[in-house]
Structure formats: structure tokens, C-alpha cells
Amino acid sequence: QVQLAESGGGLVQPGGSLRLSCSASGGTFTNHAMGWFRQAPGKEREFVAAVNWGGGVTYYTDSVKGRFTISRDNARNMVYLQMNSLKPEDTAVYYCARSAGSSTTDVVGGVPDSWGQGTQVTVSE
């Protein structure tokens, strides 16, 4: 099973930007779609963004469209989430996840088979 490790979280003011990174090791990466999820205090974990195995197809939840960009570097076993125009409601623990399938629909409609430990993102004055 692949091990996933997120980094890049922190405290940022509203309107600011952060770039989250997720490194994968110990398992297959290239053939799998990848996703980012988040969990705010007192709320359930929710889907944020997905990228297919090759990086050419992406999908986002409506609340982050136009602000967040997911990408991947298969040569380096890395997935990224560029977050711009951050809002206080984006505050959450962000998790990287690997899908058992290769398409973005496998991320949105299925249960990931591997999760990272999460990285805290706080958007506040």
C-alpha cells in the first residue's frame, strides 16, 4: 500500500495563496487517480479536487472552481493543490488520497484506498 505525506499547510490571510504537496512512496502511483479532500471542525470530510492518472483531466467541487488547481508529477510521485483567493471557509485539514481507479470519477464516486495524515490550512486575519 502506498504511503502519502502532505505538506505545505499553514496560516494565511483571506485572499492569500498556499500550495499543498503530497508525496507518494512504497506503492504504485502512476496508474491511479489522486484527490484532495478536506475536513473542517465539526463537519464531515468532503471532496475538493481530483486528477486522473495522466494529469490531463481534473475535477473540482463547485466551491473551489476557479480558485484551486490540482496537478501531478508522475516522474516525482507528487500531487499538488495550488490554492488561490483563499477564504475563511477554506479552513480545514486537507488530505491527499489515492483512488483504486484511474479516472476522476473513481475519486469522486468511490472510496480512496490510501490516505495521508493531513495538513492544516487556516485562513484568518
mmCIF file of all heavy atoms in Angstrom, residues 53-107:
data_model
loop_
_atom_site.group_PDB
_atom_site.id
_atom_site.type_symbol
_atom_site.label_atom_id
_atom_site.label_comp_id
_atom_site.label_asym_id
_atom_site.label_seq_id
_atom_site.Cartn_x
_atom_site.Cartn_y
_atom_site.Cartn_z
ATOM 1 N N TRP A 53 -5.092 9.662 -13.854
ATOM 2 C CA TRP A 53 -3.779 9.046 -13.759
ATOM 3 C C TRP A 53 -2.720 9.795 -14.547
ATOM 4 O O TRP A 53 -1.568 9.881 -14.126
ATOM 5 C CB TRP A 53 -3.847 7.597 -14.250
ATOM 6 C CG TRP A 53 -4.047 7.497 -15.741
ATOM 7 C CD1 TRP A 53 -5.230 7.528 -16.414
ATOM 8 C CD2 TRP A 53 -3.020 7.379 -16.726
ATOM 9 N NE1 TRP A 53 -5.011 7.452 -17.766
ATOM 10 C CE2 TRP A 53 -3.661 7.354 -17.986
ATOM 11 C CE3 TRP A 53 -1.633 7.306 -16.670
ATOM 12 C CZ2 TRP A 53 -2.962 7.231 -19.176
ATOM 13 C CZ3 TRP A 53 -0.929 7.191 -17.853
ATOM 14 C CH2 TRP A 53 -1.596 7.158 -19.091
ATOM 15 N N GLY A 54 -3.087 10.365 -15.685
ATOM 16 C CA GLY A 54 -2.121 11.034 -16.541
ATOM 17 C C GLY A 54 -1.968 12.524 -16.272
ATOM 18 O O GLY A 54 -1.054 13.168 -16.799
ATOM 19 N N GLY A 55 -2.886 13.086 -15.504
ATOM 20 C CA GLY A 55 -2.808 14.513 -15.203
ATOM 21 C C GLY A 55 -3.584 15.399 -16.158
ATOM 22 O O GLY A 55 -3.661 16.606 -15.958
ATOM 23 N N GLY A 56 -4.184 14.813 -17.182
ATOM 24 C CA GLY A 56 -4.846 15.632 -18.189
ATOM 25 C C GLY A 56 -6.296 15.962 -17.905
ATOM 26 O O GLY A 56 -6.890 16.814 -18.570
ATOM 27 N N VAL A 57 -6.878 15.306 -16.928
ATOM 28 C CA VAL A 57 -8.285 15.538 -16.588
ATOM 29 C C VAL A 57 -8.374 15.863 -15.109
ATOM 30 O O VAL A 57 -7.820 15.158 -14.269
ATOM 31 C CB VAL A 57 -9.148 14.296 -16.895
ATOM 32 C CG1 VAL A 57 -10.605 14.556 -16.510
ATOM 33 C CG2 VAL A 57 -9.037 13.913 -18.364
ATOM 34 N N THR A 58 -9.082 16.948 -14.805
ATOM 35 C CA THR A 58 -9.251 17.359 -13.414
ATOM 36 C C THR A 58 -10.729 17.619 -13.134
ATOM 37 O O THR A 58 -11.529 17.819 -14.054
ATOM 38 C CB THR A 58 -8.456 18.638 -13.107
ATOM 39 O OG1 THR A 58 -8.875 19.679 -13.999
ATOM 40 C CG2 THR A 58 -6.959 18.397 -13.265
ATOM 41 N N TYR A 59 -11.065 17.616 -11.861
ATOM 42 C CA TYR A 59 -12.451 17.856 -11.448
ATOM 43 C C TYR A 59 -12.421 18.503 -10.078
ATOM 44 O O TYR A 59 -11.601 18.153 -9.231
ATOM 45 C CB TYR A 59 -13.224 16.536 -11.406
ATOM 46 C CG TYR A 59 -14.687 16.699 -11.097
ATOM 47 C CD1 TYR A 59 -15.574 17.089 -12.086
ATOM 48 C CD2 TYR A 59 -15.184 16.465 -9.820
ATOM 49 C CE1 TYR A 59 -16.918 17.250 -11.813
ATOM 50 C CE2 TYR A 59 -16.518 16.626 -9.534
ATOM 51 C CZ TYR A 59 -17.388 17.012 -10.533
ATOM 52 O OH TYR A 59 -18.721 17.181 -10.272
ATOM 53 N N TYR A 60 -13.342 19.468 -9.855
ATOM 54 C CA TYR A 60 -13.352 20.232 -8.619
ATOM 55 C C TYR A 60 -14.759 20.327 -8.047
ATOM 56 O O TYR A 60 -15.751 20.359 -8.786
ATOM 57 C CB TYR A 60 -12.843 21.653 -8.871
ATOM 58 C CG TYR A 60 -11.463 21.721 -9.453
ATOM 59 C CD1 TYR A 60 -11.250 21.728 -10.824
ATOM 60 C CD2 TYR A 60 -10.338 21.771 -8.613
ATOM 61 C CE1 TYR A 60 -9.974 21.777 -11.358
ATOM 62 C CE2 TYR A 60 -9.060 21.820 -9.139
ATOM 63 C CZ TYR A 60 -8.890 21.816 -10.504
ATOM 64 O OH TYR A 60 -7.614 21.861 -11.021
ATOM 65 N N THR A 61 -14.824 20.448 -6.742
ATOM 66 C CA THR A 61 -16.093 20.789 -6.134
ATOM 67 C C THR A 61 -16.405 22.252 -6.469
ATOM 68 O O THR A 61 -15.482 23.062 -6.687
ATOM 69 C CB THR A 61 -16.047 20.571 -4.618
ATOM 70 O OG1 THR A 61 -17.366 20.655 -4.092
ATOM 71 C CG2 THR A 61 -15.148 21.588 -3.925
ATOM 72 N N ASP A 62 -17.669 22.593 -6.533
ATOM 73 C CA ASP A 62 -18.063 23.910 -7.018
ATOM 74 C C ASP A 62 -17.440 25.061 -6.219
ATOM 75 O O ASP A 62 -17.095 26.101 -6.784
ATOM 76 C CB ASP A 62 -19.590 24.046 -6.986
ATOM 77 C CG ASP A 62 -20.264 23.270 -8.100
ATOM 78 O OD1 ASP A 62 -19.557 22.847 -9.036
ATOM 79 O OD2 ASP A 62 -21.484 23.079 -8.026
ATOM 80 N N SER A 63 -17.295 24.884 -4.921
ATOM 81 C CA SER A 63 -16.853 25.994 -4.071
ATOM 82 C C SER A 63 -15.401 26.405 -4.307
ATOM 83 O O SER A 63 -14.995 27.483 -3.872
ATOM 84 C CB SER A 63 -17.050 25.641 -2.597
ATOM 85 O OG SER A 63 -16.267 24.523 -2.246
ATOM 86 N N VAL A 64 -14.613 25.582 -4.999
ATOM 87 C CA VAL A 64 -13.212 25.925 -5.228
ATOM 88 C C VAL A 64 -12.887 26.140 -6.706
ATOM 89 O O VAL A 64 -11.747 26.492 -7.034
ATOM 90 C CB VAL A 64 -12.258 24.857 -4.649
ATOM 91 C CG1 VAL A 64 -12.586 24.568 -3.188
ATOM 92 C CG2 VAL A 64 -12.266 23.577 -5.467
ATOM 93 N N LYS A 65 -13.853 25.941 -7.574
ATOM 94 C CA LYS A 65 -13.602 26.132 -9.009
ATOM 95 C C LYS A 65 -13.140 27.554 -9.299
ATOM 96 O O LYS A 65 -13.697 28.510 -8.791
ATOM 97 C CB LYS A 65 -14.874 25.824 -9.804
ATOM 98 C CG LYS A 65 -15.188 24.348 -9.928
ATOM 99 C CD LYS A 65 -16.467 24.127 -10.732
ATOM 100 C CE LYS A 65 -16.782 22.641 -10.828
ATOM 101 N NZ LYS A 65 -18.072 22.399 -11.548
ATOM 102 N N GLY A 66 -12.095 27.652 -10.115
ATOM 103 C CA GLY A 66 -11.536 28.962 -10.446
ATOM 104 C C GLY A 66 -10.545 29.484 -9.437
ATOM 105 O O GLY A 66 -9.860 30.473 -9.705
ATOM 106 N N ARG A 67 -10.442 28.841 -8.285
ATOM 107 C CA ARG A 67 -9.501 29.274 -7.243
ATOM 108 C C ARG A 67 -8.412 28.232 -6.978
ATOM 109 O O ARG A 67 -7.273 28.594 -6.677
ATOM 110 C CB ARG A 67 -10.244 29.565 -5.933
ATOM 111 C CG ARG A 67 -11.303 30.626 -6.045
ATOM 112 C CD ARG A 67 -11.865 31.018 -4.667
ATOM 113 N NE ARG A 67 -12.513 29.903 -3.989
ATOM 114 C CZ ARG A 67 -12.161 29.445 -2.794
ATOM 115 N NH1 ARG A 67 -11.136 29.980 -2.147
ATOM 116 N NH2 ARG A 67 -12.824 28.437 -2.248
ATOM 117 N N PHE A 68 -8.757 26.961 -7.035
ATOM 118 C CA PHE A 68 -7.814 25.875 -6.750
ATOM 119 C C PHE A 68 -7.435 25.165 -8.045
ATOM 120 O O PHE A 68 -8.254 25.041 -8.964
ATOM 121 C CB PHE A 68 -8.441 24.855 -5.813
ATOM 122 C CG PHE A 68 -8.655 25.329 -4.394
ATOM 123 C CD1 PHE A 68 -8.535 26.666 -4.034
ATOM 124 C CD2 PHE A 68 -8.996 24.405 -3.398
ATOM 125 C CE1 PHE A 68 -8.744 27.080 -2.729
ATOM 126 C CE2 PHE A 68 -9.198 24.801 -2.090
ATOM 127 C CZ PHE A 68 -9.087 26.147 -1.759
ATOM 128 N N THR A 69 -6.201 24.662 -8.087
ATOM 129 C CA THR A 69 -5.728 23.884 -9.222
ATOM 130 C C THR A 69 -4.984 22.659 -8.722
ATOM 131 O O THR A 69 -4.027 22.788 -7.953
ATOM 132 C CB THR A 69 -4.789 24.709 -10.116
ATOM 133 O OG1 THR A 69 -5.455 25.887 -10.570
ATOM 134 C CG2 THR A 69 -4.345 23.891 -11.323
ATOM 135 N N ILE A 70 -5.441 21.489 -9.153
ATOM 136 C CA ILE A 70 -4.757 20.247 -8.816
ATOM 137 C C ILE A 70 -3.858 19.845 -9.984
ATOM 138 O O ILE A 70 -4.220 20.028 -11.153
ATOM 139 C CB ILE A 70 -5.766 19.115 -8.486
ATOM 140 C CG1 ILE A 70 -5.038 17.875 -7.960
ATOM 141 C CG2 ILE A 70 -6.645 18.789 -9.687
ATOM 142 C CD1 ILE A 70 -5.987 16.798 -7.421
ATOM 143 N N SER A 71 -2.691 19.296 -9.656
ATOM 144 C CA SER A 71 -1.775 18.827 -10.693
ATOM 145 C C SER A 71 -0.949 17.683 -10.123
ATOM 146 O O SER A 71 -0.960 17.443 -8.915
ATOM 147 C CB SER A 71 -0.869 19.962 -11.175
ATOM 148 O OG SER A 71 -0.075 20.458 -10.103
ATOM 149 N N ARG A 72 -0.240 16.984 -11.009
ATOM 150 C CA ARG A 72 0.587 15.873 -10.559
ATOM 151 C C ARG A 72 1.844 15.795 -11.409
ATOM 152 O O ARG A 72 1.855 16.228 -12.569
ATOM 153 C CB ARG A 72 -0.183 14.555 -10.604
ATOM 154 C CG ARG A 72 -0.550 14.073 -11.990
ATOM 155 C CD ARG A 72 -1.505 12.881 -11.906
ATOM 156 N NE ARG A 72 -0.864 11.709 -11.312
ATOM 157 C CZ ARG A 72 -1.543 10.646 -10.849
ATOM 158 N NH1 ARG A 72 -2.881 10.641 -10.901
ATOM 159 N NH2 ARG A 72 -0.893 9.611 -10.343
ATOM 160 N N ASP A 73 2.881 15.227 -10.813
ATOM 161 C CA ASP A 73 4.154 14.983 -11.490
ATOM 162 C C ASP A 73 4.461 13.504 -11.292
ATOM 163 O O ASP A 73 4.948 13.100 -10.233
ATOM 164 C CB ASP A 73 5.247 15.866 -10.896
ATOM 165 C CG ASP A 73 6.572 15.711 -11.606
ATOM 166 O OD1 ASP A 73 6.781 14.705 -12.307
ATOM 167 O OD2 ASP A 73 7.425 16.586 -11.447
ATOM 168 N N ASN A 74 4.149 12.704 -12.293
ATOM 169 C CA ASN A 74 4.317 11.257 -12.149
ATOM 170 C C ASN A 74 5.789 10.847 -12.064
ATOM 171 O O ASN A 74 6.107 9.805 -11.495
ATOM 172 C CB ASN A 74 3.630 10.530 -13.299
ATOM 173 C CG ASN A 74 2.123 10.503 -13.131
ATOM 174 O OD1 ASN A 74 1.598 10.759 -12.053
ATOM 175 N ND2 ASN A 74 1.411 10.214 -14.212
ATOM 176 N N ALA A 75 6.663 11.645 -12.605
ATOM 177 C CA ALA A 75 8.092 11.320 -12.529
ATOM 178 C C ALA A 75 8.608 11.437 -11.100
ATOM 179 O O ALA A 75 9.570 10.761 -10.721
ATOM 180 C CB ALA A 75 8.890 12.232 -13.445
ATOM 181 N N ARG A 76 7.955 12.284 -10.322
ATOM 182 C CA ARG A 76 8.387 12.524 -8.939
ATOM 183 C C ARG A 76 7.411 11.956 -7.913
ATOM 184 O O ARG A 76 7.615 12.136 -6.711
ATOM 185 C CB ARG A 76 8.560 14.018 -8.695
ATOM 186 C CG ARG A 76 9.611 14.663 -9.582
ATOM 187 C CD ARG A 76 9.838 16.109 -9.224
ATOM 188 N NE ARG A 76 10.909 16.702 -10.020
ATOM 189 C CZ ARG A 76 11.393 17.919 -9.820
ATOM 190 N NH1 ARG A 76 10.922 18.668 -8.859
ATOM 191 N NH2 ARG A 76 12.349 18.390 -10.595
ATOM 192 N N ASN A 77 6.360 11.287 -8.371
ATOM 193 C CA ASN A 77 5.351 10.738 -7.458
ATOM 194 C C ASN A 77 4.770 11.820 -6.553
ATOM 195 O O ASN A 77 4.693 11.635 -5.329
ATOM 196 C CB ASN A 77 5.922 9.592 -6.622
ATOM 197 C CG ASN A 77 6.095 8.320 -7.417
ATOM 198 O OD1 ASN A 77 5.865 8.273 -8.621
ATOM 199 N ND2 ASN A 77 6.520 7.270 -6.756
ATOM 200 N N MET A 78 4.399 12.942 -7.152
ATOM 201 C CA MET A 78 3.904 14.073 -6.386
ATOM 202 C C MET A 78 2.552 14.534 -6.922
ATOM 203 O O MET A 78 2.282 14.465 -8.130
ATOM 204 C CB MET A 78 4.871 15.250 -6.474
ATOM 205 C CG MET A 78 6.230 15.009 -5.856
ATOM 206 S SD MET A 78 6.180 14.913 -4.046
ATOM 207 C CE MET A 78 5.692 16.585 -3.623
ATOM 208 N N VAL A 79 1.729 15.022 -6.008
ATOM 209 C CA VAL A 79 0.468 15.677 -6.345
ATOM 210 C C VAL A 79 0.459 17.026 -5.634
ATOM 211 O O VAL A 79 0.935 17.140 -4.499
ATOM 212 C CB VAL A 79 -0.752 14.858 -5.890
ATOM 213 C CG1 VAL A 79 -2.047 15.560 -6.268
ATOM 214 C CG2 VAL A 79 -0.716 13.472 -6.496
ATOM 215 N N TYR A 80 -0.112 18.026 -6.304
ATOM 216 C CA TYR A 80 -0.119 19.375 -5.758
ATOM 217 C C TYR A 80 -1.540 19.954 -5.758
ATOM 218 O O TYR A 80 -2.377 19.569 -6.572
ATOM 219 C CB TYR A 80 0.778 20.291 -6.593
ATOM 220 C CG TYR A 80 2.183 19.787 -6.761
ATOM 221 C CD1 TYR A 80 2.572 19.119 -7.925
ATOM 222 C CD2 TYR A 80 3.126 19.959 -5.757
ATOM 223 C CE1 TYR A 80 3.862 18.652 -8.085
ATOM 224 C CE2 TYR A 80 4.425 19.492 -5.906
ATOM 225 C CZ TYR A 80 4.782 18.835 -7.074
ATOM 226 O OH TYR A 80 6.071 18.358 -7.220
ATOM 227 N N LEU A 81 -1.762 20.875 -4.834
ATOM 228 C CA LEU A 81 -3.001 21.639 -4.830
ATOM 229 C C LEU A 81 -2.629 23.112 -4.640
ATOM 230 O O LEU A 81 -2.236 23.509 -3.540
ATOM 231 C CB LEU A 81 -3.954 21.186 -3.732
ATOM 232 C CG LEU A 81 -5.331 21.854 -3.761
ATOM 233 C CD1 LEU A 81 -6.108 21.404 -4.998
ATOM 234 C CD2 LEU A 81 -6.123 21.524 -2.504
ATOM 235 N N GLN A 82 -2.714 23.876 -5.710
ATOM 236 C CA GLN A 82 -2.481 25.320 -5.634
ATOM 237 C C GLN A 82 -3.792 25.985 -5.249
ATOM 238 O O GLN A 82 -4.797 25.833 -5.959
ATOM 239 C CB GLN A 82 -1.994 25.842 -6.991
ATOM 240 C CG GLN A 82 -1.784 27.342 -7.026
ATOM 241 C CD GLN A 82 -0.646 27.804 -6.132
ATOM 242 O OE1 GLN A 82 0.422 27.200 -6.116
ATOM 243 N NE2 GLN A 82 -0.870 28.872 -5.384
ATOM 244 N N MET A 83 -3.758 26.712 -4.148
ATOM 245 C CA MET A 83 -4.967 27.346 -3.624
ATOM 246 C C MET A 83 -4.787 28.855 -3.625
ATOM 247 O O MET A 83 -3.901 29.379 -2.938
ATOM 248 C CB MET A 83 -5.245 26.852 -2.201
ATOM 249 C CG MET A 83 -5.341 25.336 -2.108
ATOM 250 S SD MET A 83 -5.823 24.771 -0.458
ATOM 251 C CE MET A 83 -4.422 25.327 0.505
ATOM 252 N N ASN A 84 -5.596 29.545 -4.406
ATOM 253 C CA ASN A 84 -5.551 30.997 -4.500
ATOM 254 C C ASN A 84 -6.846 31.606 -3.986
ATOM 255 O O ASN A 84 -7.852 30.913 -3.845
ATOM 256 C CB ASN A 84 -5.324 31.424 -5.958
ATOM 257 C CG ASN A 84 -4.020 30.921 -6.526
ATOM 258 O OD1 ASN A 84 -3.018 30.774 -5.821
ATOM 259 N ND2 ASN A 84 -4.009 30.649 -7.827
ATOM 260 N N SER A 85 -6.807 32.893 -3.725
ATOM 261 C CA SER A 85 -8.000 33.619 -3.250
ATOM 262 C C SER A 85 -8.665 32.882 -2.094
ATOM 263 O O SER A 85 -9.890 32.674 -2.088
ATOM 264 C CB SER A 85 -8.990 33.806 -4.409
ATOM 265 O OG SER A 85 -8.394 34.503 -5.468
ATOM 266 N N LEU A 86 -7.871 32.502 -1.128
ATOM 267 C CA LEU A 86 -8.381 31.703 -0.019
ATOM 268 C C LEU A 86 -9.381 32.478 0.821
ATOM 269 O O LEU A 86 -9.260 33.701 0.994
ATOM 270 C CB LEU A 86 -7.223 31.208 0.837
ATOM 271 C CG LEU A 86 -6.483 30.010 0.233
ATOM 272 C CD1 LEU A 86 -5.108 29.857 0.862
ATOM 273 C CD2 LEU A 86 -7.290 28.733 0.414
ATOM 274 N N LYS A 87 -10.361 31.739 1.336
ATOM 275 C CA LYS A 87 -11.431 32.305 2.149
ATOM 276 C C LYS A 87 -11.426 31.634 3.526
ATOM 277 O O LYS A 87 -10.960 30.498 3.664
ATOM 278 C CB LYS A 87 -12.777 32.048 1.475
ATOM 279 C CG LYS A 87 -12.887 32.566 0.060
ATOM 280 C CD LYS A 87 -14.214 32.166 -0.567
ATOM 281 C CE LYS A 87 -14.328 32.658 -2.010
ATOM 282 N NZ LYS A 87 -15.629 32.263 -2.617
ATOM 283 N N PRO A 88 -11.973 32.286 4.530
ATOM 284 C CA PRO A 88 -12.036 31.648 5.855
ATOM 285 C C PRO A 88 -12.732 30.292 5.826
ATOM 286 O O PRO A 88 -12.362 29.389 6.582
ATOM 287 C CB PRO A 88 -12.824 32.676 6.677
ATOM 288 C CG PRO A 88 -12.496 33.985 6.047
ATOM 289 C CD PRO A 88 -12.409 33.698 4.574
ATOM 290 N N GLU A 89 -13.704 30.129 4.953
ATOM 291 C CA GLU A 89 -14.422 28.843 4.875
ATOM 292 C C GLU A 89 -13.584 27.732 4.251
ATOM 293 O O GLU A 89 -14.017 26.571 4.232
ATOM 294 C CB GLU A 89 -15.736 29.002 4.104
ATOM 295 C CG GLU A 89 -15.606 29.683 2.769
ATOM 296 C CD GLU A 89 -15.935 31.165 2.839
ATOM 297 O OE1 GLU A 89 -15.493 31.828 3.794
ATOM 298 O OE2 GLU A 89 -16.615 31.654 1.911
ATOM 299 N N ASP A 90 -12.392 28.056 3.757
ATOM 300 C CA ASP A 90 -11.468 27.024 3.281
ATOM 301 C C ASP A 90 -10.653 26.409 4.418
ATOM 302 O O ASP A 90 -9.906 25.450 4.206
ATOM 303 C CB ASP A 90 -10.499 27.597 2.244
ATOM 304 C CG ASP A 90 -11.200 28.044 0.968
ATOM 305 O OD1 ASP A 90 -12.089 27.314 0.494
ATOM 306 O OD2 ASP A 90 -10.854 29.123 0.455
ATOM 307 N N THR A 91 -10.791 26.964 5.615
ATOM 308 C CA THR A 91 -10.065 26.445 6.767
ATOM 309 C C THR A 91 -10.471 24.999 7.047
ATOM 310 O O THR A 91 -11.654 24.690 7.199
ATOM 311 C CB THR A 91 -10.354 27.305 8.004
ATOM 312 O OG1 THR A 91 -9.817 28.618 7.790
ATOM 313 C CG2 THR A 91 -9.718 26.701 9.250
ATOM 314 N N ALA A 92 -9.477 24.125 7.090
ATOM 315 C CA ALA A 92 -9.737 22.696 7.282
ATOM 316 C C ALA A 92 -8.412 21.952 7.320
ATOM 317 O O ALA A 92 -7.359 22.513 7.009
ATOM 318 C CB ALA A 92 -10.597 22.145 6.141
ATOM 319 N N VAL A 93 -8.492 20.687 7.680
ATOM 320 C CA VAL A 93 -7.369 19.779 7.475
ATOM 321 C C VAL A 93 -7.529 19.189 6.068
ATOM 322 O O VAL A 93 -8.594 18.676 5.727
ATOM 323 C CB VAL A 93 -7.336 18.659 8.526
ATOM 324 C CG1 VAL A 93 -6.180 17.696 8.222
ATOM 325 C CG2 VAL A 93 -7.203 19.233 9.923
ATOM 326 N N TYR A 94 -6.486 19.290 5.282
ATOM 327 C CA TYR A 94 -6.511 18.823 3.894
ATOM 328 C C TYR A 94 -5.776 17.492 3.787
ATOM 329 O O TYR A 94 -4.652 17.352 4.286
ATOM 330 C CB TYR A 94 -5.880 19.852 2.968
ATOM 331 C CG TYR A 94 -6.793 21.016 2.690
ATOM 332 C CD1 TYR A 94 -7.069 21.955 3.674
ATOM 333 C CD2 TYR A 94 -7.412 21.175 1.445
ATOM 334 C CE1 TYR A 94 -7.938 23.010 3.443
ATOM 335 C CE2 TYR A 94 -8.266 22.229 1.196
ATOM 336 C CZ TYR A 94 -8.527 23.145 2.200
ATOM 337 O OH TYR A 94 -9.388 24.193 1.961
ATOM 338 N N TYR A 95 -6.435 16.541 3.111
ATOM 339 C CA TYR A 95 -5.906 15.192 2.975
ATOM 340 C C TYR A 95 -5.682 14.847 1.502
ATOM 341 O O TYR A 95 -6.534 15.119 0.653
ATOM 342 C CB TYR A 95 -6.879 14.172 3.550
ATOM 343 C CG TYR A 95 -7.145 14.315 5.025
ATOM 344 C CD1 TYR A 95 -8.177 15.123 5.492
ATOM 345 C CD2 TYR A 95 -6.371 13.627 5.962
ATOM 346 C CE1 TYR A 95 -8.426 15.260 6.844
ATOM 347 C CE2 TYR A 95 -6.623 13.755 7.318
ATOM 348 C CZ TYR A 95 -7.649 14.570 7.746
ATOM 349 O OH TYR A 95 -7.893 14.699 9.092
ATOM 350 N N CYS A 96 -4.583 14.193 1.247
ATOM 351 C CA CYS A 96 -4.297 13.618 -0.059
ATOM 352 C C CYS A 96 -4.786 12.168 -0.043
ATOM 353 O O CYS A 96 -4.672 11.489 0.984
ATOM 354 C CB CYS A 96 -2.788 13.680 -0.284
ATOM 355 S SG CYS A 96 -2.180 12.890 -1.776
ATOM 356 N N ALA A 97 -5.302 11.710 -1.180
ATOM 357 C CA ALA A 97 -5.826 10.345 -1.234
ATOM 358 C C ALA A 97 -5.569 9.728 -2.593
ATOM 359 O O ALA A 97 -5.590 10.416 -3.618
ATOM 360 C CB ALA A 97 -7.327 10.353 -0.941
ATOM 361 N N ARG A 98 -5.355 8.417 -2.595
ATOM 362 C CA ARG A 98 -5.180 7.663 -3.827
ATOM 363 C C ARG A 98 -6.428 6.843 -4.105
ATOM 364 O O ARG A 98 -6.954 6.156 -3.213
ATOM 365 C CB ARG A 98 -3.978 6.729 -3.728
ATOM 366 C CG ARG A 98 -3.601 6.071 -5.063
ATOM 367 C CD ARG A 98 -2.557 4.987 -4.904
ATOM 368 N NE ARG A 98 -3.124 3.752 -4.378
ATOM 369 C CZ ARG A 98 -2.473 2.598 -4.348
ATOM 370 N NH1 ARG A 98 -1.231 2.524 -4.811
ATOM 371 N NH2 ARG A 98 -3.047 1.510 -3.844
ATOM 372 N N SER A 99 -6.908 6.907 -5.337
ATOM 373 C CA SER A 99 -8.044 6.093 -5.740
ATOM 374 C C SER A 99 -7.576 4.725 -6.224
ATOM 375 O O SER A 99 -6.463 4.580 -6.722
ATOM 376 C CB SER A 99 -8.797 6.795 -6.868
ATOM 377 O OG SER A 99 -9.779 5.953 -7.410
ATOM 378 N N ALA A 100 -8.436 3.738 -6.081
ATOM 379 C CA ALA A 100 -8.135 2.429 -6.646
ATOM 380 C C ALA A 100 -8.211 2.455 -8.166
ATOM 381 O O ALA A 100 -7.616 1.608 -8.839
ATOM 382 C CB ALA A 100 -9.089 1.373 -6.096
ATOM 383 N N GLY A 101 -8.951 3.415 -8.722
ATOM 384 C CA GLY A 101 -9.105 3.540 -10.161
ATOM 385 C C GLY A 101 -8.220 4.618 -10.751
ATOM 386 O O GLY A 101 -7.432 5.254 -10.052
ATOM 387 N N SER A 102 -8.379 4.836 -12.061
ATOM 388 C CA SER A 102 -7.509 5.755 -12.773
ATOM 389 C C SER A 102 -8.178 7.048 -13.221
ATOM 390 O O SER A 102 -7.494 7.944 -13.737
ATOM 391 C CB SER A 102 -6.922 5.051 -14.000
ATOM 392 O OG SER A 102 -7.971 4.641 -14.879
ATOM 393 N N SER A 103 -9.486 7.181 -13.032
ATOM 394 C CA SER A 103 -10.190 8.361 -13.529
ATOM 395 C C SER A 103 -10.704 9.229 -12.385
ATOM 396 O O SER A 103 -10.817 8.766 -11.244
ATOM 397 C CB SER A 103 -11.364 7.934 -14.412
ATOM 398 O OG SER A 103 -12.365 7.324 -13.634
ATOM 399 N N THR A 104 -11.033 10.477 -12.717
ATOM 400 C CA THR A 104 -11.522 11.385 -11.679
ATOM 401 C C THR A 104 -12.841 10.896 -11.086
ATOM 402 O O THR A 104 -13.103 11.121 -9.903
ATOM 403 C CB THR A 104 -11.701 12.803 -12.241
ATOM 404 O OG1 THR A 104 -12.552 12.754 -13.392
ATOM 405 C CG2 THR A 104 -10.354 13.410 -12.630
ATOM 406 N N THR A 105 -13.648 10.209 -11.874
ATOM 407 C CA THR A 105 -14.912 9.701 -11.351
ATOM 408 C C THR A 105 -14.684 8.637 -10.285
ATOM 409 O O THR A 105 -15.509 8.462 -9.380
ATOM 410 C CB THR A 105 -15.775 9.116 -12.475
ATOM 411 O OG1 THR A 105 -15.020 8.148 -13.194
ATOM 412 C CG2 THR A 105 -16.236 10.209 -13.417
ATOM 413 N N ASP A 106 -13.561 7.946 -10.362
ATOM 414 C CA ASP A 106 -13.235 6.965 -9.329
ATOM 415 C C ASP A 106 -12.924 7.654 -8.000
ATOM 416 O O ASP A 106 -13.159 7.090 -6.934
ATOM 417 C CB ASP A 106 -12.030 6.125 -9.756
ATOM 418 C CG ASP A 106 -12.338 5.238 -10.948
ATOM 419 O OD1 ASP A 106 -13.444 4.667 -10.986
ATOM 420 O OD2 ASP A 106 -11.481 5.124 -11.844
ATOM 421 N N VAL A 107 -12.402 8.856 -8.060
ATOM 422 C CA VAL A 107 -12.123 9.600 -6.831
ATOM 423 C C VAL A 107 -13.420 10.117 -6.227
ATOM 424 O O VAL A 107 -13.668 9.977 -5.029
ATOM 425 C CB VAL A 107 -11.170 10.785 -7.116
ATOM 426 C CG1 VAL A 107 -10.928 11.576 -5.833
ATOM 427 C CG2 VAL A 107 -9.854 10.298 -7.692
#
